[in-house]
Amino acid sequence: MEKDGKRSPNPALWWINGRGGEVRWSFEEMGVHSRKVANILTDQCGLRKGDRILVILSRIPEWWLVIMACIRTGIVAIPATLQLTAKDIEYRLQASGAKCLVTTEALGSAVDSVAPWCPSLKTKLLVSSEGKQEGWLNFDELLREAPANHACAKTKMNDPMLVYFTSGTTGAPKMVEHTQGSLGFRPLITDNDFLCFIRSWLYTTSSDLIWSTADTSWVVAALGSFFDPWALGSCVFIHNLPLLEKTTILRTLSQFPITAFLSPPAFFRMLLKEDFTSYKFKSLQYCISGGESISLEVIEEWKNKTGLDIYELYGQTETGSICSVSKEMKIKPGTMGKALFPYDVQIVDQEANILPPGKEGEIAVRIKPERPLGFFTQYIDAPQKTAATTRGDFFLTGDRGVMDEDGYFRFIGRADDIINSSGYRIGPFEVENVLLTHPAVAEVAAISSPDPIRGEVVKAFVVLSTDYATHNKEKLTMELQEHVKKTTAPYKYPRKVEFVQKLPKSQTGKIQRKELRDQEWA
């Protein structure tokens, strides 16, 4: 938190809501507030080390306080999104056995409607400035009254810390368990046998402000706006972003001294549809994309409009970040960088044999003889599903890719998303990324569709941009097909196109191709 002997002027957390509300807390203040919340969880909510709490909070300062308080006390936090329905909340409470839930008034009635069927739930904590609500403890009132002294619980590296529910693209969502040692520093034993730590993917300093737009229910929120920035003394900048308006994001990047920006490809695509002439990013130096593949066209257009490169990051809920393009590396457009320390990432075949550079296979990480720090420990209460992720000495990501001679990885698609048409293997991202360069396309999902001659063909589900909503669909279909043929290998073009109002998505915002594919093949 110091540089050249001087303390950085940046706070630890800088939060705005876009309506004049603002919070700036130093690291010392974060310590005081989180100790108070730790006392609330133990003294008022009756929670103890190892108990679980469902945390359904958006991008508000209280989320950071609750997560930090859980780490102090050894209580296991389960981050979740405000987009959950009552049925979703009921499932998570029953599956996790959470004894406490914290949320805002937006979900209060939904929680109350399912609470009678969730016997493990003992305490409900409401973040609200409106006063008391029957059956709920008021977080704000308790925070004002709570003592600021708290002794941290003694936890071990392998004790559980966080549980994430997967997006549930296949079956019910699974509980991914991470430990106290999972998501923080990466360990390194030096020659003198001292345990020190190095960073793997984030190259910020105490002078930087990093803004991650990730939903608080995503593991990337923990990585990009909690553990990694604070480990380096960087300031975590947060905009509440109740609505994901591109003008709001661009205006925020222009008005505040944000130096690093982390966002999924969909956000970059959305921003590029806006006119940049009235926005100047005077402080922005480092842009990072993660969550899914980003197209070469987006990278080039962003560079043309801002003068900045986009560095890719790859990982999963189960693994954290395992590949990235660092500041020191040469950027190879279309790749997601190299394996991060301490991971041995390889491309393997169906028998877990390592494939040579240039050969397509499954992206896998070596976990034997020793499981690397940073990996999830298990799918809770699902030993068979946990075992199914292992083949030979490797953890299987379920993603397919290719590694080149220099160790750079290129993402192709989910193993079950690959389209096999007349012997040609086509990754959905290849088709989608080309279609997204057409001005008519706002969103798109490419899947396999049954065909009596070719076995499978590419079908594109397209959400049209506003300007093209009334265009002739037959002519537009032909135009999109020709666009793909001219931009990439002709065999990849979508022989079927269906225009839809919206695409099915998981609660982490990823397109659920499986749902579309199941409907198509039914």
Side-chain angles (χ1 to χ4, degrees):
M1 287 173 280
E2 296 185 3
K3 187 176 181 181
D4 300 329
K6 297 181 180 180
R7 182 170 293 276
S8 168
N10 290 332
L13 182 72
W14 187 348
W15 174 89
I16 62 172
N17 64 4
R19 303 185 303 275
E22 186 172 4
V23 166
R24 293 196 200 190
W25 286 334
S26 67
F27 284 96
E28 289 80 4
E29 289 171 318
M30 287 295 301
V32 171
H33 294 319
S34 64
R35 289 193 291 271
K36 291 166 72 75
V37 177
N39 286 319
I40 292 173
L41 297 181
T42 55
D43 298 345
Q44 304 298 325
C45 300
L47 298 175
R48 296 294 179 264
K49 177 183 173 182
D51 288 341
R52 296 172 184 162
I53 176 174
L54 187 59
V55 184
I56 316 179
L57 296 173
S58 62
R59 305 174 186 89
I60 57 176
E62 288 81 1
W63 183 85
W64 279 260
L65 296 182
V66 171
I67 299 300
M68 185 176 287
C70 286
I71 297 172
R72 285 185 175 277
T73 57
I75 295 166
V76 182
I78 308 173
T81 177
L82 279 179
Q83 298 181 46
L84 295 180
T85 64
K87 183 179 179 180
D88 295 327
I89 295 170
E90 180 181 2
Y91 171 77
R92 281 157 177 73
L93 286 171
Q94 291 177 349
S96 68
K99 293 183 178 180
C100 181
L101 180 148
V102 55
T103 190
T104 62
E105 292 158 321
L107 285 179
S109 58
V111 173
D112 286 337
S113 70
V114 301
W117 290 272
C118 304
S120 66
L121 183 62
K122 305 301 181 185
T123 310
K124 297 177 294 184
L125 195 56
L126 192 69
V127 176
S128 171
S129 58
E130 302 299 322
K132 295 183 179 180
Q133 185 168 324
E134 185 177 354
W136 292 76
L137 297 177
N138 186 282
F139 181 93
D140 301 74
E141 289 184 1
L142 294 175
L143 185 62
R144 287 193 293 269
E145 301 169 359
N149 297 320
H150 180 269
C152 285
K154 293 183 178 180
T155 56
K156 297 180 179 179
M157 187 172 289
N158 291 325
D159 287 343
M161 178 180 67
L162 290 167
V163 171
Y164 287 95
F165 278 84
T166 61
S167 56
T169 54
T170 55
K174 301 181 290 289
M175 290 183 286
V176 177
E177 181 185 77
H178 280 281
T179 68
Q180 293 281 341
S182 285
L183 301 176
F185 285 117
R186 304 292 189 256
L188 175 67
I189 302 296
T190 68
D191 293 338
N192 297 321
D193 291 331
F194 287 106
L195 187 64
C196 65
F197 301 90
I198 63 172
R199 300 315 306 161
S200 290
W201 66 275
L202 187 62
Y203 294 82
T204 57
T205 69
S206 59
S207 299
D208 286 301
L209 274 73
I210 178 169
W211 181 20
S212 168
T213 61
D215 189 286
T216 51
S217 64
W218 304 354
V219 72
V220 73
L223 294 171
S225 59
F226 195 99
F227 292 104
D228 292 64
W230 281 347
L232 296 168
S234 303
C235 173
V236 171
F237 182 89
I238 297 297
H239 192 302
N240 194 30
L241 286 178
L243 295 175
L244 299 178
E245 297 176 342
K246 50 184 179 287
T247 54
T248 299
I249 297 175
L250 293 172
R251 187 166 56 247
T252 302
L253 288 171
S254 299
Q255 294 176 350
F256 292 86
I258 298 160
T259 59
F261 181 59
L262 171 59
S263 206
F267 277 38
F268 285 102
R269 291 195 297 264
M270 176 182 70
L271 296 178
L272 287 171
K273 295 183 181 295
E274 190 73 8
D275 183 1
F276 275 42
T277 54
S278 58
Y279 302 102
K280 303 297 180 184
F281 308 147
K282 298 178 181 179
S283 300
L284 190 60
Q285 303 170 10
Y286 187 29
C287 301
I288 312 164
S289 174
E292 59 180 335
S293 178
I294 188 168
S295 70
L296 175 60
E297 289 76 15
V298 170
I299 293 173
E300 291 177 344
E301 188 176 356
W302 184 262
K303 176 79 170 181
N304 290 335
K305 285 192 173 184
T306 68
L308 297 168
D309 293 307
I310 296 178
Y311 297 82
E312 283 208 62
L313 175 70
Y314 169 75
Q316 295 182 330
T317 303
E318 290 86 345
T319 66
S321 52
I322 58 175
C323 290
S324 80
V325 180
S326 71
K327 285 184 177 180
E328 291 78 15
M329 288 168 54
K330 173 185 176 182
I331 294 179
K332 287 190 175 184
T335 71
M336 55 193 186
K338 298 181 179 181
L340 294 169
F341 177 88
Y343 304 117
D344 178 7
V345 184
Q346 298 289 344
I347 302 296
V348 303
D349 63 16
Q350 292 185 347
E351 285 73 42
N353 299 308
I354 298 176
L355 295 172
K359 288 287 186 179
E360 178 191 327
E362 190 161 355
I363 302 172
V365 185
R366 191 182 298 277
I367 58 173
K368 295 179 182 179
E370 186 175 350
R371 197 176 185 90
L373 189 67
F375 261 56
F376 79 119
T377 55
Q378 62 173 325
Y379 294 120
I380 297 174
D381 299 329
Q384 291 181 336
K385 291 181 179 179
T386 303
T389 63
T390 302
R391 187 184 303 150
D393 293 343
F394 291 93
F395 167 83
L396 306 175
T397 64
D399 291 334
R400 296 189 68 81
V402 174
M403 183 177 67
D404 69 13
E405 294 283 354
D406 297 321
Y408 284 75
F409 289 85
R410 180 168 63 86
F411 181 82
I412 293 178
R414 290 293 297 172
D416 54 1
D417 284 340
I418 300 300
I419 304 162
N420 192 334
S421 182
S422 295
Y424 290 100
R425 294 176 58 78
I426 305 166
F429 281 111
E430 299 175 278
V431 181
E432 293 166 1
N433 286 338
V434 172
L435 285 170
L436 284 166
T437 63
H438 194 285
V441 180
E443 288 187 304
V444 61
I447 65 164
S448 66
S449 179
D451 183 82
I453 298 175
R454 296 175 176 84
E456 300 177 10
V457 294
V458 179
K459 178 172 181 177
F461 288 83
V462 175
V463 178
L464 291 173
S465 57
T466 305
D467 294 341
Y468 283 79
T470 59
H471 277 52
N472 182 283
K473 300 302 187 292
E474 185 175 345
K475 290 183 178 179
L476 196 52
T477 294
M478 296 176 63
E479 185 177 332
L480 294 175
Q481 290 172 330
E482 288 302 314
H483 176 69
V484 175
K485 289 179 184 179
K486 292 177 180 178
T487 309
T488 186
Y491 68 83
K492 297 177 184 178
Y493 87 92
R495 296 178 182 271
K496 300 179 183 179
V497 176
E498 182 175 335
F499 298 99
V500 295
Q501 294 298 314
K502 63 180 181 179
L503 298 172
K505 295 180 181 178
S506 69
Q507 286 160 357
T508 59
K510 293 184 178 180
I511 295 172
Q512 293 186 305
R513 294 180 190 81
K514 182 181 184 301
E515 184 174 326
L516 293 170
R517 191 170 59 249
D518 288 347
Q519 295 173 2
E520 189 70 13
W521 285 82

